[in-house]
Amino acid sequence: AQSVSQHNHHVILSEAASLELGCNYSYGGTVNLFWYVQYPGQHLQLLLKYFSGDPLVKGIKGFEAEFIKSKFSFNLRKPSVQWSDTAEYFCAVSSGYSTLTFGKGTMLLVSP
Amino acid sequence: EAGVAQSPRYKIIEKRQSVAFWCNPISGHATLYWYQQILGQGPKLLIQFQNNGVVDDSQLPKDRFSAERLKGVDSTLKIQPAKLEDSAVYLCASTGIRDRDRNYGYTFGSGTRLTVV
């Protein structure tokens, strides 16, 4: 069975600081990796995804993530966060046609 | 394109009462999922439908939870009787069966926040 581990439950940053949220997964086969974001009071939205090819994927709003197969990691990054990035971020994994398995989420608070 | 519709948005019930949630997926999406998101945790799959058939309900507490998707379109999730630990957000998601649809990941509804008192 696949599982996802997110390193930090809460992260607090000032505006313009750089962001890196850790995500590790456990599964021995080919995986599909996702980052979802949930803004306060809103539904889960897809931020970016990796299926194959270039391990550095770019998503919406300046986010990017790097798939490192040897480390079973898919960390989310943004060079300069904004107050509007305050949200909860979920890493998720699927394999083939299996369902999405989510991590516990990281709550990001950006102070202006 | 309309998103995944869910209702109600909020529900407060007493323990041992019953409750039902409704979901209308994106038009044409054959696969529908119900997830439970407890505060402080990530969403956990309850059940997956492909058209009107159940693909995976291994994590559905079948003694109290039931779900159906009779015509392969909208779906209802029921809890009877509810327990305090059922307080959570219940999310519905859908996706197509073609690879290019699945490559977009799942589209989630806004969820129903259930509070059991």
Side-chain angles (χ1 to χ4, degrees):
Chain A
Q2 57 206 21
S3 66
V4 180
S5 174
Q6 293 186 237
H7 305 165
N8 307 98
H9 202 53
H10 292 92
V11 172
I12 301 174
L13 295 173
S14 300
E15 272 194 317
S18 64
L19 169 72
E20 181 160 4
L21 301 182
C23 171
N24 286 91
Y25 66 92
S26 66
Y27 184 73
T30 302
V31 293
N32 308 313
L33 295 157
F34 305 82
W35 275 98
Y36 280 83
V37 61
Q38 190 168 28
Y39 297 102
Q42 297 188 26
H43 59 276
L44 281 165
Q45 301 172 43
L46 183 64
L47 202 53
L48 49 77
K49 62 188 185 294
Y50 171 81
F51 276 69
S52 63
D54 189 344
L56 183 63
V57 292
K58 295 191 183 299
I60 60 172
K61 304 186 180 185
F63 287 90
E64 65 178 30
E66 184 175 13
F67 170 52
I68 303 179
K69 189 175 181 179
S70 61
K71 295 185 177 179
F72 297 89
S73 71
F74 190 56
N75 292 354
L76 181 70
R77 300 194 292 248
K78 186 171 184 179
S80 175
V81 295
Q82 301 172 319
W83 175 80
S84 58
D85 293 324
T86 293
E88 191 156 19
Y89 293 82
F90 294 93
C91 182
V93 62
S94 70
S95 57
Y97 283 88
S98 74
T99 56
L100 274 179
T101 299
F102 286 85
K104 290 189 175 183
T106 298
M107 184 67 219
L108 170 66
L109 177 62
V110 180
S111 58
Chain B
E1 167 180 85
V4 175
Q6 288 189 248
S7 66
R9 285 297 306 273
Y10 304 93
K11 191 72 178 180
I12 301 174
I13 62 172
E14 295 182 349
K15 59 183 179 182
R16 289 187 290 273
Q17 285 187 323
S18 62
V19 65
F21 313 127
W22 175 82
C23 171
N24 191 3
I26 289 176
S27 178
H29 277 190
T31 310
L32 183 147
Y33 310 83
W34 283 102
Y35 278 82
Q36 180 194 55
Q37 186 177 11
I38 293 174
L39 186 65
Q41 299 182 22
K44 184 188 82 171
L45 179 72
L46 291 175
I47 189 167
Q48 175 190 355
F49 290 95
Q50 181 88 354
N51 297 309
N52 61 348
V54 175
V55 175
D56 182 358
D57 64 355
S58 57
Q59 299 188 78
L60 187 74
K62 298 181 187 62
D63 58 333
R64 298 183 301 105
F65 286 65
S66 64
E68 59 183 14
R69 193 185 184 200
L70 292 176
K71 296 182 179 179
V73 181
D74 53 354
S75 174
T76 55
L77 175 69
K78 297 179 182 177
I79 308 175
Q80 183 179 10
K83 292 185 175 181
L84 295 177
E85 58 261 36
D86 297 332
S87 294
V89 176
Y90 291 85
L91 297 166
C92 181
S94 69
T95 188
I97 59 173
R98 291 171 294 184
D99 282 348
R100 69 176 179 85
D101 294 322
R102 296 182 63 82
N103 284 351
Y104 284 97
Y106 299 4
T107 301
F108 284 86
S110 297
T112 295
R113 183 176 297 277
L114 173 67
T115 302
V116 182
V117 298

